[in-house]
Each structure stands twice: as C-alpha cells, then as structure tokens.
Amino acid sequence: MTFNTISKSLQQRISVQTVIIDLLALGVILLVPTLSHLTGFPFYFVEPMRIILVLALLFSSRFNAFALAVMLPLFSFLVSGYPAPVKMAIIMAELSLNVWIYLAMVRFTDKPFISMFSAILLSKFFCYYMYWM
C-alpha cells in the first residue's frame, strides 16, 4: 500500500459526523466528573462511555467505535486521574469487547437491539470477572 492509498482510506473513514461525535464524546467525558461533583448525582453510574459507544456504533464507523473504546478511558485517566491504570485497561478491554461482540452478533442475527443487549451483558460479565480475578 502506498501513502496515497492509506491517506484516501483514512479520508473515507473520517467524516464530519465522526469528528462531531468524537468531540462531543471527549466533552462529555471531560464534564462528567464536574457535573457529578456539582450536582451530587453520580452521572458515571449511567455509564456515559457505553452510551457514547452505542451512539458511535449507530452514527459512525466500526473503526471509530473501536477508537473511542480505547480513547475514552485513556482521556478520562489523563484528565481526571480516574480510573486507575489497571481499571482503565479493563474498561478499554470491556468496551472493545462490547463493540466486537455487537458487530459479530448483528452480522449473524440481523437484530441490533438484541445484539447490543447481549454484547453489553457479555462484556459486563467479562469486566466483573476481571475485577474479581
């Protein structure tokens, strides 16, 4: 592959909608700790990273969903120091697994809701298994 081929491939993957989703995702992750502190309501219990990931799967590319699965926990750690590095790695793996399971299941079942529900459950089982290991 030449540089021009790679460049065209990246240009096709990156759209204005993808950039907007990514910027909003980073903004939400940046504001969640502040909003939780100001209101006293733990917004992180709503799982904003997973909601952003589902929106990315709906309105963006698979590549962007995988990128967000890695980027959001890392960005959160770099900005707020939370989650701890080991927990951050587990969250990255969980979100990436969520995307992978969803994409695999929707290909076979052609039922997006059931695929996402199952992907969330399975990735949560994985996550809690990793926490308790």
Side-chain angles (χ1 to χ4, degrees), residues 59-78:
F59 299 109
S60 187
S61 65
R62 294 183 307 217
F63 175 79
N64 191 50
F66 278 114
L68 283 173
V70 172
M71 188 172 54
L72 292 175
L74 180 63
F75 182 74
S76 177
F77 173 74
L78 293 174

Side-chain angles (χ1 to χ4, degrees), residues 27-89:
V28 166
I29 296 305
L30 182 66
L31 293 176
V32 163
T34 305
L35 290 174
S36 295
H37 178 72
L38 289 175
T39 62
F41 180 77
F43 284 102
Y44 45 86
F45 283 154
V46 185
E47 292 202 59
M49 288 186 198
R50 189 172 316 279
I51 292 170
I52 291 167
L53 202 61
V54 170
L55 292 174
L57 281 166
L58 288 173
F59 299 109
S60 187
S61 65
R62 294 183 307 217
F63 175 79
N64 191 50
F66 278 114
L68 283 173
V70 172
M71 188 172 54
L72 292 175
L74 180 63
F75 182 74
S76 177
F77 173 74
L78 293 174
V79 169
S80 66
Y82 183 81
V86 172
K87 189 173 182 180
M88 177 187 65

